[in-house]
Amino acid sequence: MHGADTDGRVVAAACTIAIDDLPDGLIVADRNGCVVAVNRAAARLTGIAMERAVGRHMTDVFPFRDHDGRDWWKALDPEGGLRTRSRVPERPLHLPGGQELHVTARFIREPERGGEVERVTITLRDGGARARLERSRADLVSTVAHELRSPLTSVKGFTATLLAKWTRFTDEQKRVMLETVNNDADRVTRLITELLDVSRIESGRLEVRRQVVDLPARVRRLIAGRVASGESEHRFRLVVGDHLPEMWLDQDKIDQILGNLVENALRHGRGTVTIEIESVGWGVGVSVRDEGEGIEPELAPRVFRQFWRGGNSRRRGGTGLGLFIVKGLVEAHGGTIAVQRAPEGGAEFRFTVPTGTPDFATP
């Protein structure tokens, strides 16, 4: 037996749940449409406080309308229809002010199968948040399509040309075309890896496999790789503090964090890229800073969003997912990350991760 009492609590069997603890908006009405309870989330979404709603009819306080202007509660008709009807699918509805909410309803019957409707529980979700999520997904699809089209077109074009006219090209021409194909294939692989990371971060399925990591050694290895690929060794400066604690981290993910931050500094900054590692109270702090134009304070909250690209970049390219992924990887370690103006005037990205203990390590 379920019920809603006067202090806004829903009683179910032997447990009592405060409806204000629910993340979604909840309205409870009887079969006649009289409002019985309204939780805090519903009051916030609709602007109607529980005190104003309880005891009044749904159409007076929550006059939901569909896109054709029809009265949702009247169309719901709790007392009509089949007795097997138990729920109404979610759909977008509007309040008089134009606010869009996604609304679904469930009929509570007594007895449960085929009985009369005793109450109707109505769940509300923010339509704006859903629209933003859908726009984000559309942006992701658009970005992926754009980023894949160029390298795949190149791979297809050079491969078809080589197959059709192999004997007409010199060895040097063939090498240049094959190098281009190889580079574009790497670009596609990186994009797919980024998309998988984004998916795992958004779904909360990112796993951290901890092991002892020599963080200064990982940075030196990263710098050596950048130098081998053509960057000047004078472009980098590593500063390591004293008495660093033993660090239990996910080595692959730490490499990815450092790689993305250094790549961002090289792409969007100028001058020396300084990586500083130091011990902090509860873990290790790592700063990556450049000597470029930096990031304006009003832009700082945006840099870790999907598809953000530095407006002052001297080089184009990238999906705008790198810093979003960095933030997700740092937070998966239980750490934090922020961006600010560096002492030299450029951008400084600083992340802090707890050191952890062997107890957290994954075999």
Side-chain angles (χ1 to χ4, degrees), residues 1 3-5 7-22:
M1 179 70 179
D5 62 22
D7 67 350
R9 304 177 75 84
V10 174
V11 180
C15 67
T16 302
I17 304 171
I19 62 174
D20 282 338
D21 293 340
L22 300 176

Side-chain angles (χ1 to χ4, degrees), residues 102-121:
H102 288 261
V103 182
T104 185
R106 181 176 179 83
F107 300 122
I108 308 301
R109 297 179 179 274
E110 186 61 39
E112 183 177 352
R113 293 182 178 276
E116 296 284 348
V117 173
E118 294 293 325
R119 286 175 308 284
V120 181
T121 58

Side-chain angles (χ1 to χ4, degrees), residues 275-293:
I275 303 99
E276 184 173 356
I277 307 170
E278 60 182 338
S279 176
V280 297
W282 54 282
V284 174
V286 181
S287 297
V288 178
R289 54 182 180 266
D290 60 68
E291 299 173 347
E293 298 178 6

Side-chain angles (χ1 to χ4, degrees), residues 33-89:
C34 181
V35 177
V36 176
V38 179
N39 75 346
R40 186 179 293 118
R44 175 178 53 80
L45 290 170
T46 63
I48 306 296
M50 180 182 70
E51 295 78 11
R52 291 176 51 196
V54 172
R56 299 178 62 189
H57 196 274
M58 278 288 298
T59 55
D60 293 332
V61 285
F62 301 112
F64 294 118
R65 295 287 190 277
D66 64 17
H67 288 300
D68 296 322
R70 290 173 294 198
D71 185 323
W72 176 76
W73 179 263
K74 183 177 180 180
L76 191 66
D77 187 19
E79 296 186 279
L82 298 174
R83 287 180 176 267
T84 56
R85 189 171 55 141
S86 62
R87 63 184 300 111
V88 176

Side-chain angles (χ1 to χ4, degrees), residues 207-212 248-250 357-363:
E207 294 184 3
V208 175
R209 301 182 180 275
R210 296 182 185 269
Q211 59 181 305
V212 176
W248 285 77
L249 307 167
D250 187 311
T357 68
D359 295 338
F360 297 118
T362 300

Side-chain angles (χ1 to χ4, degrees), residues 264 295 299 302-303 305-311 320-321 323:
N264 184 74
I295 297 172
L299 296 179
R302 306 180 191 175
V303 300
R305 297 177 184 173
Q306 292 183 28
F307 315 118
W308 184 86
R309 294 179 175 89
L321 297 173
L323 293 177

Side-chain angles (χ1 to χ4, degrees), residues 197-312:
D197 287 336
V198 168
S199 175
R200 293 187 184 105
I201 290 169
E202 290 187 330
S203 65
R205 293 185 290 106
L206 200 63
E207 294 184 3
V208 175
R209 301 182 180 275
R210 296 182 185 269
Q211 59 181 305
V212 176
V213 173
D214 185 340
L215 201 51
R218 305 312 297 175
V219 175
R220 293 187 186 98
R221 181 175 180 273
L222 170 63
I223 293 173
R226 300 298 311 199
V227 171
S229 64
E231 296 286 350
S232 170
E233 62 180 337
H234 301 295
R235 186 82 194 272
F236 303 96
R237 175 171 172 257
L238 173 60
V239 180
V240 180
D242 297 327
H243 309 298
L244 292 179
E246 185 177 71
M247 289 164 275
W248 285 77
L249 307 167
D250 187 311
Q251 181 170 287
D252 291 339
K253 291 179 175 57
I254 288 297
D255 285 349
Q256 191 174 355
I257 291 168
L258 293 168
N260 279 357
L261 290 179
V262 170
E263 170 68 21
N264 184 74
L266 292 171
R267 183 185 297 274
H268 299 290
R270 289 196 301 268
T272 301
V273 176
T274 300
I275 303 99
E276 184 173 356
I277 307 170
E278 60 182 338
S279 176
V280 297
W282 54 282
V284 174
V286 181
S287 297
V288 178
R289 54 182 180 266
D290 60 68
E291 299 173 347
E293 298 178 6
I295 297 172
E296 297 298 327
E298 61 271 17
L299 296 179
R302 306 180 191 175
V303 300
F304 297 108
R305 297 177 184 173
Q306 292 183 28
F307 315 118
W308 184 86
R309 294 179 175 89
N312 296 325

